[in-house]
Amino acid sequence: GGAYRGLYLGVGPYLSNQSVVDIDPRMTQILSSATPIYFPNVQLHSGTTTQFQGAVAGVIGYRARIALDTGVTDRDGIYLAANYRYLHGMRYEDDRLGLAQWLVAPEHPLTARVQVNRLWQQLFGHGLVRTSEDFGVQGEAPDHPELLDWLAVEFVRSGWDVQHMLRLMASSAVYRQSSVVSDQLRQRDPENRQLARGPRFRLQSEFLRDQALAVSGLLVRKIGGPPVKPYHPPGLYEQVTAGSGTNSYVESKGEDLYRRSMYTYWKRSVPHPAMLLFDSPFREACTLRRSRTNTPLQALNLLNDPTWVEAARLLAGRMLSEAGPDAASQLRHGFRLVLIREPEARELTLLQAGYERVLQEFRAGPAQADELLKVGATRSSESLPVAELAAMTVSAGTILNLHETVTRE
């Protein structure tokens, strides 16, 4: 069938003519054997060992390796084995439907494992297989293979229910652990491969923006629709695209300014700069693992980007209108909205001292307060006092910039 033809189409070009003649009669044996079959004196006609192994893995079987004699650099022979599609009777038509059926067959060894590993990476920062983009011979082995197997089986058993798996992982004892690490534990397990503490990592760019919009009440949760264009540094887009007609960046209006970040318009030559600062990929290639950097520009963006300034202002409006009349209760309410906990006494004292200081500054210079409150397209309620709203905006921005806010810990 398809694998037999693959010997010539996929693997044949790498082998000498004599090697093809030697392997040809034993194809039936290869496809029915549960163990690899050794072929001595098989020579590669062209290509590297890695290229040949990839051809074997993709066409004949996922298990294939070059055998080497000890102390000898020349190749001595090859092992060939059929892949699981044939070993487990998973025979489907050689078309797209057959491929789809094969991928989600319960016996398939990879599909469920790859997916639950990505879900684990989403919640824990790293997958059980750290090389989530490579489950092959050049990737890392899983840190906990039994756990990966169990999660894969549970995923299939649940009917491939992603929400069920995320709920299962998020409610697990290992996820709910504290991320505080002792010096001894850091020394013994710096990468937390033994899962002795909870995960701790900075949120990715889309989550940071959506979180700020959500706590401020601005986030539009509508699903689907065309891409939108949120705030963008003036002139940057036009510098690259020559800036005329459709090459001009026109910000969205109304609720489109506050759609979830996954709907943001993306041009690869001019990607959204605020998202790039927080390590969003350029999307020129598929990226399954994003890098995580910490730079001063990130802090400056969170303090000055119109998205965060506007979110802080709307959050401040909630703090003033939904809490009690005193600053302490208002700051406490904002802290709860963002961090889902009560502030400690020292934290509240610092926030209150900062609020009182900037409140006096804004009362002395109302023009500065007016300038701050003009940032963003959505206007605050006119019933809110200007100086108090501006001062609370600064305090809300401080809360949105806390390490605990931008970090999963």
Side-chain angles (χ1 to χ4, degrees):
Y4 185 84
R5 293 192 303 273
L7 177 64
Y8 301 100
L9 299 177
V11 182
Y14 295 96
L15 301 174
S16 65
N17 291 335
Q18 183 58 48
S19 297
V20 174
V21 170
D22 292 340
I23 296 174
D24 188 359
R26 301 184 65 184
M27 281 300 296
T28 302
Q29 184 181 359
I30 292 173
L31 295 179
S32 60
S33 174
T35 58
I37 296 176
Y38 179 63
F39 292 87
N41 304 317
V42 172
Q43 299 297 318
L44 292 188
H45 178 64
S46 64
T48 65
T49 298
T50 302
Q51 289 172 328
F52 173 71
Q53 287 177 311
V56 172
V59 180
I60 291 183
Y62 86 103
R63 294 178 299 169
R65 67 183 177 88
I66 302 294
L68 300 177
D69 280 340
T70 304
V72 180
T73 58
D74 292 335
R75 283 175 289 277
D76 181 55
I78 63 172
Y79 286 91
L80 292 180
N83 60 25
Y84 270 72
R85 176 179 174 181
Y86 290 91
L87 292 182
H88 293 275
M90 297 160 58
R91 294 180 175 84
Y92 301 102
E93 294 298 325
D94 290 333
D95 54 20
R96 287 177 294 180
L97 177 60
L99 173 63
Q101 292 171 334
W102 173 62
L103 285 173
V104 297
E107 301 87 352
H108 196 288
L110 281 180
T111 306
R113 284 179 175 84
V114 169
Q115 180 60 23
V116 297
N117 188 67
R118 293 184 187 181
L119 297 177
W120 188 275
Q121 175 181 274
Q122 181 178 332
L123 293 181
F124 289 83
H126 295 284
L128 292 168
V129 177
R130 295 292 174 114
T131 54
S132 55
E133 77 284 357
D134 189 352
F135 268 57
V137 293
Q138 297 186 39
E140 287 192 28
D143 294 328
H144 302 275
E146 296 86 357
L147 175 58
L148 182 63
D149 289 347
W150 185 87
L151 289 171
V153 172
E154 176 65 17
F155 189 34
V156 176
R157 186 203 63 78
S158 69
W160 306 83
D161 189 337
V162 173
Q163 188 176 36
H164 166 73
M165 296 306 299
L166 288 172
R167 186 184 297 113
L168 182 67
M169 294 177 189
S171 61
S172 66
V174 66
Y175 183 79
R176 292 184 286 115
Q177 292 181 109
S178 170
S179 61
V180 176
V181 55
S182 64
D183 292 337
Q184 182 182 14
L185 186 57
R186 182 185 290 110
Q187 194 172 33
R188 291 179 56 189
D189 185 19
E191 296 182 343
N192 196 26
R193 290 181 179 267
Q194 299 305 314
L195 304 176
R197 61 183 183 273
R200 185 178 187 180
F201 55 91
R202 196 203 65 232
L203 300 179
Q204 66 187 52
S205 56
E206 294 89 344
F207 296 173
L208 286 171
R209 177 177 175 272
D210 291 355
Q211 174 182 254
L213 294 179
V215 297
S216 66
L218 287 170
L219 184 66
V220 175
R221 302 176 185 271
K222 184 175 71 174
I223 297 175
V228 296
K229 295 182 177 180
Y231 301 120
H232 199 280
L236 178 62
Y237 189 91
E238 288 76 11
Q239 280 184 345
V240 179
T241 62
S244 61
T246 58
N247 290 327
S248 297
Y249 189 91
V250 180
E251 288 181 356
S252 297
K253 304 295 182 182
E255 68 173 18
D256 283 349
L257 270 176
Y258 312 110
R259 299 289 307 278
R260 292 165 60 191
S261 299
M262 65 180 294
Y263 297 110
T264 298
Y265 174 82
W266 197 269
K267 187 178 181 66
R268 283 179 292 180
S269 59
V270 198
H272 199 284
M275 292 191 179
L276 287 186
L277 280 178
F278 292 96
D279 307 308
S280 282
F282 278 84
R283 304 188 190 181
E284 292 177 344
C286 181
T287 303
L288 292 183
R289 283 189 298 160
R290 298 186 182 188
S291 59
R292 292 194 185 97
T293 60
N294 290 291
T295 71
L297 281 176
Q298 294 169 347
L300 290 171
N301 182 79
L302 293 178
L303 287 168
N304 298 290
D305 188 286
T307 297
W308 270 268
V309 175
E310 183 180 29
R313 175 167 55 81
L314 270 293
L315 174 60
R318 293 189 65 184
M319 295 161 67
L320 291 172
S321 59
E322 296 176 7
D326 59 296
S329 63
Q330 293 163 359
L331 291 167
R332 195 177 290 114
H333 181 58
F335 209 91
R336 284 196 304 266
L337 287 173
V338 177
L339 297 177
I340 322 298
R341 69 173 178 86
E342 290 285 342
E344 298 176 1
R346 185 177 67 89
E347 295 170 329
L348 185 58
T349 299
L350 288 172
L351 283 172
Q352 195 162 1
Y355 170 77
E356 296 294 344
R357 185 181 69 253
V358 295
L359 177 60
Q360 296 305 318
E361 294 176 359
F362 284 130
R363 283 175 174 170
Q368 294 180 340
D370 291 335
E371 192 67 25
L372 175 62
L373 300 182
K374 287 179 182 178
V375 177
T378 298
R379 302 269 63 86
S380 299
S381 173
E382 295 183 359
S383 63
L384 297 173
V386 173
E388 283 77 0
L389 177 59
M392 195 60 74
T393 297
V394 174
S395 298
T398 301
I399 297 173
L400 289 175
N401 276 269
L402 291 175
H403 178 79
E404 188 176 345
T405 304
V406 301
T407 305
R408 188 276 170 232
E409 60 178 5

